[in-house]
Amino acid sequence: MKGAADKAKGTIKEGVGKLSGERDMETEGKIDKAKGSAHNAAGDMKDAARDAADALKK
């Protein structure tokens, strides 16, 4: 959930930065989007590990 929120926030910041010409805001947006992607990837790995552990229990 946090990953999706960071990605959405990043998209908005990046768009505002592009429209207003604020490079710092645009860069912050790109960083937030990258953080969101990292959170999503970590969550996917955690889910895969849990699924593998469950499969071993059966």
Side-chain angles (χ1 to χ4, degrees):
M1 192 68 167
K2 178 150 175 51
D6 282 339
K7 285 178 78 171
K9 179 175 71 171
T11 299
I12 292 168
K13 279 185 175 180
E14 186 177 3
V16 169
K18 281 182 181 178
L19 289 174
S20 66
E22 293 183 46
R23 302 290 291 166
D24 289 342
M25 177 73 77
E26 186 177 349
T27 301
E28 282 181 33
K30 289 179 180 181
I31 291 169
D32 286 342
K33 283 173 43 176
K35 276 198 265 185
S37 294
H39 281 290
N40 285 344
D44 291 345
M45 288 174 46
K46 185 176 176 181
D47 290 343
R50 185 179 313 123
D51 291 344
D54 288 345
L56 290 174
K57 290 179 185 177
K58 293 180 182 180

